[in-house]
Amino acid sequence: MLTKADFLRAKQRILTSLHPTPLHFSRTFSRYTEHQVWVKPENLQKTGSFKLRGAANRMAQLTDAERARGVITASSGNHGAAVAFAANQQGIPATVVMPEGAPRSKVVAVRGYGADVVFYGHYPDERKEHARALTSEQNLTYVDSNEDEDIIAGQGTCALEILEECPDVDVILAPIGGGGLVSGVAAAAHHLRPDVQVIGVEPCGAASMSASMAAGEPTSVDVETMADGLRSRKPGPMTFAYCEQYLAKIHRVSEAQIADAMVLALERLKLLLEPSGAVALAGLLAGAVTGSDRRVVVVLSGGNVDLARLVSIMQDHDPVFPRRDMRP
Amino acid sequence: MLTKADFLRAKQRILTSLHPTPLHFSRTFSRYTEHQVWVKPENLQKTGSFKLRGAANRMAQLTDAERARGVITASSGNHGAAVAFAANQQGIPATVVMPEGAPRSKVVAVRGYGADVVFYGHYPDERKEHARALTSEQNLTYVDSNEDEDIIAGQGTCALEILEECPDVDVILAPIGGGGLVSGVAAAAHHLRPDVQVIGVEPCGAASMSASMAAGEPTSVDVETMADGLRSRKPGPMTFAYCEQYLAKIHRVSEAQIADAMVLALERLKLLLEPSGAVALAGLLAGAVTGSDRRVVVVLSGGNVDLARLVSIMQDHDPVFPRRDMRP
């Protein structure tokens, strides 16, 4: 398992690759929850999500030979963009395997960061397999999005920044998809402040980590959620082990709660979040943090959503949140 | 005219009333314009706009007798909310005169900040007159949104923060409505770094400062623009004098350019701006800054827009911006 030194070194390694994303205090959400609430706006991070943290940390540790040959990953989303960007920053060739018919904006983004795009299949599993085949064929280095301690250490730097800015934080909320972010955040927070509670938030429609924790081992679930960044059928053994060891608990949120959080973030925080990026906030508003007057930081993990999709979510959205109680 | 010391004192005075709004570097807009572009996200400021700066500075200088009697202003928008909030922070009773039929969300916001709302008339001029009548009747202190050096000094603190974070900035872009923000920014920047160019950006549909500069005196124009925060028919003598003395130039933008900037800010910066808040960015993208590789800071002045209006702007919007040239 990662040590305190691993996280601190990761932070040094990636410092210059990142945008600062200072904590932002929310009066509105503080009043509503009766806690003191800050958000960590990783939607403002380069590439629009926290994923650059792990990718930059991973790239920085390749050998010269690995750097010359290049990296490959399979991702249609934020991890793919982050690997493309980090590789480009460090002068490493990158290939991203994307699904046939991937949204044009995502393909343009990955190519804009200088990576080669290979189209293959429709399902994550077949893409991953294809990427692994190319890995050995072309002697590339495969960069997994979650099951990799360099990736987890990179994502954990998010907690180091939170603790620097808000040293007496009581609770940190982060979303769970593949589990890389929440593993890194929970382990890093534990090493620096063992009494900080890290709560993972998962969509009810992709609750593979909850199911796995209940079963005591990585377990498959059916997945259907608007939070496309968190559509994980089954956690890997590594993130499962981190979550078992370090998470205070997991809270699950409905699709309506996710949409609500997304709309409220836009309206009240003036921040655009993708559905996955709003999941931890949805957890907070749905009561994941008990008690009162606790110092809570919510990780808003990403903001990459097509505006057409945003409009359709806003239009379909039937607010569940008691808006009248929200003082501006 | 305000001195360097006036701005520095204003900064000290309001420091604890504000959210920090650190500069954010934009790779996308830098590439597109071939400048180095940062944004100053005042949409993330408390109350959702820069207006709190001036209001907090003004409130902090009332006498004890004035504080006890209370303040009044006429504004349906960000200035009204800022006065209500600042008064509330400092324990001062506040009254805001709003138009009959003002949007419910704005009324709720102002009341939420603890102010009394008085509904009167439909036009800014009649509201202002009514507020002035109440001022003498009830012995209140009237707080103008622009023609007041304490207000201008407060708005200018925005430039002090920009210069602290980006000491070698070449150009600052700010929107012009009543002129308080651009007057403060231009004067403060001049006192600290006389060679910084401050460019004001005005909607073509509310170009009263351009018309006044051309005429050599405050001049009335017809006003029609989606940028509701900048609908000023005629500048006052004070902001006119500041603009004449300190502005490098004024750039005008079309309605389509404003809508474009609003949509691009959401898509690329993940920031929600109201139309007025996107006007300075529209100026940048429309070529207000000539030359290349200059260090440019764009003030994103506010983010208070109803989501229904956002959706309708996005849907009506026919992009004029050459999206293909925008590398993500």
Side-chain angles (χ1 to χ4, degrees):
Chain A
M1 306 288 265
L2 292 159
T3 64
K4 178 173 167 180
D6 292 324
F7 288 107
L8 297 177
R9 273 195 297 263
K11 183 161 186 264
Q12 281 311 311
R13 223 176 263 132
I14 68 177
L15 205 59
T16 58
S17 306
L18 301 178
H19 267 327
T21 55
L23 294 182
H24 189 84
F25 181 75
S26 168
R27 189 169 166 273
T28 302
F29 297 130
S30 296
R31 278 197 178 197
Y32 178 69
T33 60
E34 297 184 349
H35 294 298
Q36 294 176 61
V37 178
W38 288 259
V39 298
K40 174 75 173 163
E42 285 291 295
N43 62 324
L44 305 182
Q45 189 49 267
K46 285 181 193 171
T47 75
S49 90
F50 73 93
K51 288 280 190 185
L52 182 58
R53 297 175 180 274
N57 190 46
R58 181 73 167 85
M59 296 300 129
Q61 290 174 91
L62 296 173
T63 65
D64 285 349
E66 287 169 331
R67 298 167 73 86
R69 289 192 302 262
V71 297
I72 186 168
T73 192
S75 160
S76 59
N78 291 334
H79 173 67
V83 167
F85 186 91
N88 187 252
Q89 273 189 326
Q90 300 183 32
I92 300 167
T95 303
V96 180
V97 182
M98 300 182 82
E100 322 244 15
R104 198 183 153 278
S105 62
K106 300 213 166 177
V107 178
V108 169
V110 168
R111 285 198 174 133
Y113 297 141
D116 283 335
V117 174
V118 172
F119 295 100
Y120 192 88
H122 293 281
Y123 299 100
D125 303 348
E126 47 180 6
R127 276 204 300 286
K128 208 158 170 171
E129 211 165 294
H130 186 66
R132 287 194 185 279
L134 293 175
T135 303
S136 37
E137 245 173 57
Q138 304 178 11
N139 211 359
L140 305 173
T141 299
Y142 182 75
V143 180
D144 197 81
S145 52
N146 291 284
E147 289 290 295
D148 179 323
E149 286 200 316
D150 292 334
I151 294 286
I152 294 173
Q155 320 305 28
T157 59
C158 191
L160 303 187
E161 293 173 10
I162 291 169
L163 287 166
E164 247 167 52
E165 273 196 273
C166 186
D168 49 358
V169 61
D170 298 308
V171 183
I172 301 174
L173 290 161
I176 309 184
L181 174 65
V182 84
S183 294
V185 165
H190 172 84
H191 288 312
L192 272 91
R193 279 267 322 279
D195 56 319
V196 173
Q197 273 196 303
V198 176
I199 298 177
V201 186
E202 216 169 31
C204 296
S208 59
M209 194 63 81
S210 309
S212 303
M213 299 279 259
E217 59 178 357
T219 301
S220 290
V221 299
D222 289 338
V223 163
E224 191 174 346
T225 172
M226 73 172 79
D228 50 312
L230 310 180
R231 283 182 196 141
S232 164
R233 280 171 212 281
K234 185 182 177 181
M238 187 182 290
T239 54
F240 174 73
Y242 274 91
C243 286
E244 255 206 331
Q245 176 146 3
Y246 296 116
L247 272 196
K249 69 169 175 178
I250 299 181
H251 192 94
R252 280 172 294 172
V253 291
S254 69
E255 295 297 292
Q257 287 169 331
I258 297 171
D260 235 25
M262 206 176 146
V263 170
L264 283 164
L266 195 57
E267 203 171 78
R268 306 305 174 107
L269 301 175
K270 317 299 176 193
L271 293 176
L272 177 63
L273 303 181
E274 60 187 281
S276 308
V279 160
L281 178 61
L284 173 77
L285 298 177
V289 182
T290 52
S292 73
D293 207 32
R294 305 184 76 191
R295 298 169 78 89
V296 182
V297 174
V298 182
V299 181
L300 307 177
S301 56
N304 293 320
V305 55
D306 284 349
L307 295 190
R309 184 135 181 269
L310 170 71
V311 169
S312 101
I313 290 172
M314 290 199 293
Q315 286 173 333
D316 291 352
H317 175 55
D318 187 15
V320 291
F321 197 82
R323 292 290 162 87
R324 261 156 304 178
D325 293 358
M326 298 282 293
R327 304 279 293 283
Chain B
M1 306 287 267
L2 292 159
T3 64
K4 179 174 166 179
D6 291 324
F7 288 107
L8 297 176
R9 273 195 298 262
K11 184 162 184 261
Q12 281 312 310
R13 222 175 263 131
I14 68 177
L15 205 60
T16 57
S17 306
L18 301 178
H19 267 328
T21 54
L23 294 182
H24 189 83
F25 181 74
S26 167
R27 190 170 165 273
T28 302
F29 296 131
S30 296
R31 277 197 179 198
Y32 178 69
T33 60
E34 298 186 348
H35 293 297
Q36 295 177 59
V37 178
W38 288 260
V39 298
K40 175 74 174 164
E42 285 290 297
N43 62 322
L44 306 180
Q45 190 49 266
K46 285 181 194 170
T47 73
S49 90
F50 72 93
K51 288 281 191 184
L52 182 58
R53 297 174 179 273
N57 189 46
R58 181 73 167 85
M59 296 301 127
Q61 290 174 91
L62 296 172
T63 64
D64 285 350
E66 287 169 332
R67 297 169 72 87
R69 290 193 302 261
V71 296
I72 185 167
T73 192
S75 160
S76 58
N78 292 333
H79 173 66
V83 166
F85 186 91
N88 188 252
Q89 273 190 326
Q90 301 183 31
I92 300 168
T95 304
V96 179
V97 182
M98 299 182 83
E100 321 245 15
R104 198 184 153 276
S105 62
K106 300 211 166 181
V107 178
V108 170
V110 168
R111 285 196 174 134
Y113 297 140
D116 283 335
V117 174
V118 172
F119 295 100
Y120 192 87
H122 293 280
Y123 299 99
D125 303 348
E126 50 181 2
R127 276 204 302 286
K128 207 158 170 171
E129 211 166 291
H130 185 65
R132 287 196 185 279
L134 293 174
T135 303
S136 38
E137 245 172 57
Q138 304 178 14
N139 212 359
L140 305 173
T141 299
Y142 181 75
V143 181
D144 197 81
S145 51
N146 290 284
E147 290 288 296
D148 179 325
E149 286 200 315
D150 291 334
I151 294 286
I152 293 173
Q155 320 304 29
T157 60
C158 192
L160 303 187
E161 292 173 11
I162 291 169
L163 288 166
E164 248 168 51
E165 272 196 274
C166 186
D168 48 359
V169 59
D170 297 309
V171 183
I172 302 174
L173 290 161
I176 309 183
L181 174 64
V182 84
S183 294
V185 166
H190 172 84
H191 288 313
L192 272 93
R193 280 265 324 278
D195 57 318
V196 173
Q197 274 196 302
V198 176
I199 298 176
V201 186
E202 216 169 32
C204 295
S208 59
M209 195 64 82
S210 309
S212 302
M213 299 280 258
E217 60 178 357
T219 301
S220 289
V221 299
D222 288 338
V223 163
E224 191 172 346
T225 173
M226 73 172 79
D228 50 313
L230 309 180
R231 283 182 195 141
S232 164
R233 279 172 213 279
K234 186 182 176 180
M238 188 183 288
T239 54
F240 174 73
Y242 274 90
C243 287
E244 255 207 329
Q245 175 146 5
Y246 295 117
L247 272 195
K249 69 171 176 177
I250 299 181
H251 192 95
R252 280 171 293 172
V253 291
S254 69
E255 294 298 291
Q257 288 169 331
I258 297 170
D260 236 23
M262 207 176 145
V263 170
L264 283 164
L266 196 58
E267 203 171 78
R268 307 303 175 106
L269 301 175
K270 318 299 177 194
L271 293 176
L272 178 63
L273 303 182
E274 60 188 279
S276 308
V279 161
L281 178 61
L284 174 76
L285 298 177
V289 182
T290 52
S292 73
D293 207 33
R294 306 184 76 189
R295 299 170 78 89
V296 181
V297 174
V298 181
V299 181
L300 306 177
S301 55
N304 293 319
V305 56
D306 283 350
L307 296 190
R309 184 134 181 269
L310 170 71
V311 169
S312 100
I313 290 172
M314 290 199 294
Q315 285 173 334
D316 292 351
H317 175 55
D318 187 16
V320 291
F321 198 81
R323 291 291 161 87
R324 261 157 302 178
D325 294 357
M326 298 283 292
R327 305 280 293 283

